[in-house]
Each structure stands twice: as C-alpha cells, then as structure tokens.
Amino acid sequence: MDSEIKEEIPVHEEFILCCGVETQVLKCGPWTDLINNQSGTRPKLLIFIIPGNPGFSAMYVPFAKALYSATKRRFPVWIISHAGHALAPRGKKILKSSEDPNAEEIKDIYGVCGQVEHKLAFLRTQVPKEMKLVVIGHSIGSYFSLEILKHAPELPNPG
C-alpha cells in the first residue's frame, strides 16, 4: 500500500538554464514555481536534495517521494542535477533562469567549487528569500551542502 501512495505523488521534470548550463530539476509536489506563486498556498519550507556522483537526479526520486509522504505532502521536495550531468531530451523546453545580479562568472562550473556556485545561483534565483530551506546532500552532495551553508548564511534554514 505504501508503494501505491508513492506512485500517486506528482514529480515534475524541468530543465533550467542555470549559469549557462542545462540543469535538471525534479520537483515533487504541486509547486513548480515558488518565486511567482504569491498565493496563500505557497509552502514555507523547501526540501532541497543535492545528489552524489554521478549527479543523476532520477536515482533519488523514491527517496524524495518518501520524504514528501512523510511530511504529509506539506512541503515540496526538489532534486537538482550537477551542472553538465544531465542533458534535456530533444524537443524538451529549457526554461531560462533569471540571473542573480550579484553573481560572478563561474570560471570552472564543472569543478567542485563551480558546482557549489551553480547550486547557490539556482537557490538565489529559484527559491524565495523568505522560504526556509532544508538541504540534504548525498556523498559529494553533502560537501556541496556544507559549502552552500558556509558561503550563503543568508539562506534561511528551519533552525
């Protein structure tokens, strides 16, 4: 029965151009645009998963669905790919991300530091500033999570 519930959970796949690189984002729950959704139904917290290598987001979908179910479907769960690790299928629309006006050019977006900057740029442009954030990382994603928290203490956490 538990697996039947998880199958009913909507997962939206998007490809966003973030820092000039196609980035796959899998979004669990009905909220696909947190920035422009000003309604009273916008959640107050986002669970954000950063995968380990090889950065394949789809591998984390069962975990994301379980988290979404465990939180009684109150909070979105998003999974972001590593920069350059997922290409949009032919014909799939690639959304353009608004650029962070404070962002500097990422010289080595495919390196470790560049991957951290890539995730920071995504969070700054796709997640409202007042939204609380739970960051979950696996393997190298854990390192990225710690670096994000170190470099962006302004990002709200549930504290």
Side-chain angles (χ1 to χ4, degrees):
M1 180 166 172
D2 193 33
S3 63
E4 289 174 19
I5 292 171
K6 287 185 184 85
E7 290 302 317
E8 296 171 10
I9 295 171
V11 176
H12 307 280
E13 177 187 53
E14 291 181 355
F15 283 86
I16 296 174
L17 200 61
C18 181
C19 303
V21 178
E22 290 179 24
T23 304
Q24 181 188 42
V25 183
L26 300 176
K27 299 178 175 184
C28 199
W31 307 278
T32 57
D33 183 352
L34 295 175
I35 292 286
N36 295 314
N37 178 355
Q38 300 299 322
S39 73
T41 63
R42 183 168 80 184
K44 304 215 182 304
L45 182 137
L46 169 67
I47 301 170
F48 189 68
I49 300 172
I50 303 173
N53 277 333
F56 186 59
S57 304
M59 194 169 104
Y60 297 84
V61 168
F63 176 60
K65 286 182 173 185
L67 277 174
Y68 185 67
S69 287
T71 62
K72 298 181 178 23
R73 300 177 180 226
R74 292 182 304 164
F75 308 115
V77 180
W78 290 4
I79 312 163
I80 188 169
S81 69
H82 295 326
H85 287 225
L87 293 175
R90 186 184 314 249
K92 180 82 173 175
K93 182 178 179 183
I94 300 172
L95 305 171
K96 294 208 186 290
S97 176
S98 60
E99 292 302 316
D100 179 2
N102 300 321
E104 296 178 22
E105 181 184 345
I106 301 172
K107 297 194 185 335
D108 182 18
I109 194 161
Y110 304 113
V112 173
C113 292
Q115 291 288 348
V116 171
E117 292 299 319
H118 170 259
K119 309 307 177 273
L120 280 169
F122 176 86
L123 290 170
R124 287 179 175 140
T125 59
Q126 299 297 312
V127 180
K129 288 180 173 44
E130 67 278 358
M131 182 163 287
K132 293 186 183 241
L133 194 60
V134 173
V135 181
I136 299 173
H138 171 238
S139 191
I140 191 70
S142 297
Y143 176 77
F144 294 161
S145 299
L146 292 172
E147 289 298 302
I148 286 168
L149 296 174
K150 184 166 62 173
H151 287 91
E154 77 279 3
L155 293 174
N157 61 56

